[in-house]
Amino acid sequence: MDIARGQRIKLQDLISTGSRFAVDLQLDTGGISVDSACFGLDAQRKLSDERYMTFFNQPTTPCKGVSLDGANRFEFDLERLPPTIDALVVTLAIDGPGAMNGLRPSALHVVHEGVEVAAHRFDGSAFAAERAIMLIELYRKDGGWRLNAIGQGFNGGLDALIVHFGGTVAEPTPNPPAATVPPPAAPPPAPSAAISLEKRVEKEAPHLVSLVKKVGLSLEKAGLSGHKARVALCLDISASMSRLYSSGQMAAFTERILALAARFDDDGQLDVFLFGNEVHEPEPMSLAGSRGYVERLLKRYPLEGGTRYGVAMQAIRRHFYPQGGRPGKPISDRLPVYVMFVTDGQTMDEKVSEQQIREASFEPIFWQFMGIGKSNKGSDKKKGFFARLLETDFSFLEKLDTLDGRYIDNANFFSVERPDQPSDEELYELLLLEYKAWLPLARQRGLLA
Amino acid sequence: MAISLQKGGNVNLSKEAPGMKKMLVGLGWDIRSTDGDAFDLDASAFLLNSTGKVRSDADFIFYNQPKSPDGSVVHTGDNRTGEGDGDDESIIIELDKVPADIDKVSVCVTIHDAEAKRQNFGMVSSAYVRCVDAVTNVEVARYDLSEDASVETAMIFGEVYRHAGEWKFKAIGQGFKGGLGPLAKNYGVNV
């Protein structure tokens, strides 16, 4: 039989004998990446015991009443479920970009003893911007089980779904606690959307898993968990950077920024800009293509003579806001842009750069400058002439950091002697320090909607 | 303690609430908790004669015609989203004023724009109908429809009817194909 959206039926009308059956999802997602999960809920329809969320990271409940077989088949044995589990909701959540209105004709089949006994057909036409949907609910009623085809969901995706079921969205715990008693009072750490990201990282860039987790912790500390932004990395490829590249230090640093982008960015990609005398926009850095990315770049874009921040800044601004704005009028956007700007020396186009950063202060772009080299800031004047010569002069970047004539303070600067010098934790803390202060200001001044 | 009715069950109002002159039929449902178009449910009442039809279009009480000519049946207004405490919509019936040739008042709820919004009662949660003494505010009977609501877009929630000189209420919980228009037509209204 066909089960329509909204329909309720007694399960015994489908499954005449026993309590075992399967729910098979036949999805045509049109390229959207979708994860299925089954939530085991209490009588208040809350996930009071997180072990009853069945999904790829936790493919079976402790009682074995619900198991995920592969990606899209749930096996049920209702008699095994404890009486505290009052309802089971089969859900879909999008991992990555897209919305449920992109679903092509798909179906949920109820299979009993190898025979399909019912099908619930659905497609994107029933949805709009939902990123997570509840397909069916199986629930106890009058001593039996019933099925309701819910067909409703949340634009907020898996996070919103978890909140709906009374969970809090927190950092995922890699191994769910093996407590036999459902955790009281404090809401259990329910799996979050971060899980789907980590799964992706595991699959596409396993060497970045721990880095991405560290970013998550730093973001949480900065009160920015769940924050979304577009991330760009702008790298100096002037000849003086040669040693930093050949030693692999820049490749390692780039991966640390990619991890930030993976957390921030909807598409998990990092837009990369290179500049020396000219500016280049190579292919963005993706998780899957992260290994050897910088080495490949340098083969294609050899180091150049010259250092011009201004042209690079202009290219970045054009990339994100090709139309530009009216002079002196703020551009408002939904997502901010975080630009990590890395250089080892002075620019040759100071006036252009100043102009760029002033104009960019009307845009929702935050500029994080990092100078590599020994800064002569606060340098001891008594040091010998040669000693001072070896130090790098970042006075211009310091000036940019505090430049006047801007709509809001849109830049920060710090310097490191070597890009691998700050630990991961230190680096991410530095990267977020001023950014987290810029965000509310940008919102207040109308740069962020 | 109000009587809880199952689908098809009935209660003798004259016995359960003797002296009740003015009855409020309260209708409620939960506000949509998921994303998407809000559920806009409309209550309506049909004053029906012994053949189960309206005497005239004036016996069809709904948001655009909130009062019967004799004033015995009044629709208290449209709540667009189901938000707020208590009943979402209500119909007030002054039992003594109901004309003698009216045998039955059918209380219905339809989903506005259901087809365009692709909504049905199975997607609405916690729908109920209750009978309350409008003067004492005492609830006499209640019928929780959630388990009986499915793919319908129009539903007869309950009926207030005469039986052997007394007023009774019956929990109907039956769907009707189509929306308010076909439902009204079925009761003899010229739509």
Side-chain angles (χ1 to χ4, degrees):
Chain A
M1 75 178 282
D2 267 330
I3 302 170
R5 181 156 82 137
Q7 195 170 340
R8 286 172 200 274
I9 46 170
K10 287 183 178 150
L11 202 61
Q12 68 188 47
D13 293 344
L14 302 177
I15 291 134
S16 44
T17 54
S19 66
R20 295 180 59 181
F21 62 97
V23 161
D24 241 328
L25 297 170
Q26 239 170 44
L27 304 174
D28 185 352
T29 61
I32 305 168
S33 166
V34 171
D35 291 320
S36 55
C38 175
F39 289 81
L41 310 172
D42 63 19
Q44 279 71 48
R45 294 295 188 271
K46 299 295 176 205
L47 180 72
S48 47
D49 186 345
E50 66 173 50
R51 295 170 305 153
Y52 283 85
M53 177 182 172
T54 307
F55 65 119
F56 56 82
N57 254 1
Q58 185 168 271
T60 187
T61 57
C63 64
K64 308 257 185 290
V66 184
S67 308
L68 178 63
D69 178 12
N72 290 317
R73 183 184 171 94
F74 289 97
E75 301 271 3
F76 294 98
D77 189 348
L78 301 177
E79 268 169 17
R80 285 176 175 265
L81 289 169
T84 47
I85 297 297
D86 203 56
L88 300 162
V89 181
V90 177
T91 66
L92 290 180
I94 291 178
D95 172 22
M100 290 297 177
N101 61 2
L103 279 179
R104 299 201 183 130
S106 299
L108 177 153
H109 302 282
V110 181
V111 181
H112 180 233
E113 292 174 349
V115 180
E116 180 190 309
V117 290
H120 169 53
R121 288 169 219 288
F122 56 96
D123 61 49
S125 67
F127 304 104
E130 287 94 334
R131 288 177 42 80
I133 49 174
M134 300 177 277
L135 287 174
I136 58 162
E137 179 186 40
L138 299 156
Y139 58 103
R140 292 186 199 268
K141 185 74 195 174
D142 300 337
W145 286 82
R146 291 188 190 182
L147 183 155
N148 173 218
I150 302 178
Q152 300 181 48
F154 299 96
N155 300 348
L158 187 60
D159 285 3
L161 198 60
I162 288 170
V163 171
H164 178 68
F165 292 136
T168 47
V169 179
E171 278 302 303
T173 42
N175 293 308
T180 42
V181 183
S192 75
I195 277 188
S196 56
L197 166 71
E198 266 156 31
K199 185 187 67 161
R200 204 173 143 199
V201 175
E202 247 167 58
K203 207 159 59 186
E204 297 176 15
H207 59 292
L208 296 180
V209 169
S210 70
L211 212 47
V212 170
K213 282 199 176 130
K214 280 182 191 163
V215 177
L217 284 175
S218 300
L219 287 175
E220 201 169 290
K221 267 190 213 156
L224 290 175
S225 2
H227 177 70
K228 290 271 169 263
R230 296 188 282 180
V231 182
L233 173 64
C234 184
L235 295 174
D236 187 338
I237 53 163
S238 63
S240 54
M241 294 281 291
S242 168
R243 286 270 304 275
L244 291 167
Y245 282 109
S246 62
S247 64
Q249 287 186 57
M250 286 311 290
F253 180 80
T254 302
E255 289 191 344
R256 296 209 276 179
I257 302 303
L258 177 65
L260 180 74
R263 273 277 178 201
F264 268 178
D265 226 304
D266 275 355
D267 60 5
Q269 276 196 348
L270 179 61
D271 288 310
V272 176
F273 297 83
L274 305 173
F275 75 99
N277 200 39
E278 304 297 324
V279 59
H280 312 278
E281 273 184 62
E283 281 287 291
M285 184 177 190
S286 66
L287 284 169
S290 58
R291 280 270 191 219
Y293 176 82
V294 171
E295 289 83 343
R296 288 195 299 276
L297 273 192
L298 289 175
K299 279 197 189 117
R300 227 179 122 196
Y301 304 97
L303 300 183
E304 304 177 353
T307 304
R308 296 200 293 157
Y309 300 171
V311 290
M313 294 169 70
Q314 193 173 26
I316 292 168
R317 293 179 53 214
R318 267 204 203 122
H319 174 85
F320 289 104
Y321 299 103
Q323 310 296 324
R326 281 175 296 160
K329 291 266 182 265
I331 292 181
S332 177
D333 201 355
R334 198 174 52 84
L335 287 181
V337 178
Y338 186 107
V339 177
M340 177 77 225
F341 198 105
V342 183
T343 179
D344 75 333
Q346 282 283 50
T347 184
M348 300 171 346
D349 62 354
E350 291 194 6
K351 282 282 160 267
V352 180
S353 307
E354 281 183 21
Q355 184 61 24
Q356 285 297 320
I357 202 88
R358 280 197 182 102
E359 286 177 12
S361 70
F362 290 92
E363 295 159 2
I365 305 180
F366 180 78
W367 302 83
Q368 177 62 61
F369 293 95
M370 184 178 90
I372 302 174
K374 251 195 168 97
S375 171
N376 67 355
K377 189 179 182 180
S379 171
D380 190 353
K381 288 279 191 289
K382 283 182 218 141
K383 265 189 197 163
F385 172 70
F386 287 103
R388 269 189 281 137
L389 196 68
L390 284 173
E391 292 169 345
T392 317
D393 180 12
F394 289 126
S395 56
F396 178 69
L397 284 176
E398 280 156 19
K399 185 180 171 192
L400 276 192
D401 185 4
T402 56
L403 192 71
D404 58 11
R406 288 178 295 167
Y407 182 59
I408 62 170
D409 181 359
N410 58 342
N412 185 38
F413 163 71
F414 65 85
S415 69
V416 293
E417 281 192 29
R418 296 161 49 100
D420 58 2
Q421 175 200 46
S423 70
D424 296 333
E425 289 79 6
E426 285 165 347
L427 177 70
Y428 293 130
E429 195 178 320
L430 280 169
L431 295 184
L432 297 173
L433 197 63
E434 196 150 320
Y435 178 63
K436 69 181 178 198
W438 173 81
L439 281 172
L441 198 60
R443 226 166 270 131
Q444 190 193 326
R445 301 295 302 269
L447 298 179
L448 288 172
Chain B
M1 184 67 192
I3 292 173
S4 173
L5 295 171
Q6 298 289 315
K7 180 172 172 163
N10 69 68
V11 56
N12 188 326
L13 298 168
S14 306
K15 280 215 177 82
E16 291 301 324
M20 175 163 67
K21 300 252 182 289
K22 203 171 179 183
M23 182 170 80
L24 177 142
V25 182
L27 304 146
W29 47 85
D30 277 356
I31 183 175
R32 183 172 185 160
S33 59
T34 50
D35 285 316
D37 289 323
F39 300 124
D40 179 8
L41 274 62
D42 295 315
S44 53
F46 297 88
L47 280 66
L48 307 171
N49 62 21
S50 56
T51 63
K53 302 283 180 198
V54 292
R55 297 168 305 177
S56 76
D57 292 354
D59 286 341
F60 169 33
I61 312 305
F62 69 119
Y63 49 86
N64 274 344
Q65 182 168 270
K67 206 170 176 179
S68 65
D70 47 68
S72 64
V73 179
V74 177
H75 184 300
T76 61
D78 185 18
N79 176 331
R80 292 261 161 116
T81 60
E83 232 163 326
D85 285 338
D87 303 323
D88 294 299
E89 296 201 3
S90 52
I91 307 274
I92 291 176
I93 305 176
E94 289 198 50
L95 298 168
D96 291 349
K97 276 201 202 167
V98 177
D101 56 346
I102 293 301
D103 263 13
K104 183 156 78 176
V105 179
S106 174
V107 178
C108 308
V109 178
T110 49
I111 302 180
H112 183 66
D113 244 357
E115 207 165 316
K117 293 182 181 171
R118 306 185 56 163
Q119 297 174 342
N120 59 47
F121 275 103
M123 299 169 66
V124 180
S125 47
S126 308
Y128 69 84
V129 53
R130 63 187 197 126
C131 298
V132 181
D133 184 326
V135 177
T136 61
N137 219 14
V138 173
E139 186 176 300
V140 183
R142 176 184 278 260
Y143 165 40
D144 178 358
L145 284 90
S146 15
E147 285 310 309
D148 303 318
S150 195
V151 294
E152 300 84 7
T153 54
M155 277 188 94
I156 306 166
F157 274 32
E159 285 172 357
V160 180
Y161 62 103
R162 291 183 204 272
H163 180 77
E166 296 181 313
W167 283 106
K168 290 181 106 177
F169 175 79
K170 187 174 185 182
I172 304 286
Q174 217 155 61
F176 192 89
K177 241 185 150 71
L180 186 56
L183 182 70
K185 215 169 165 179
N186 177 64
Y187 282 131
V189 178
N190 299 303
V191 200

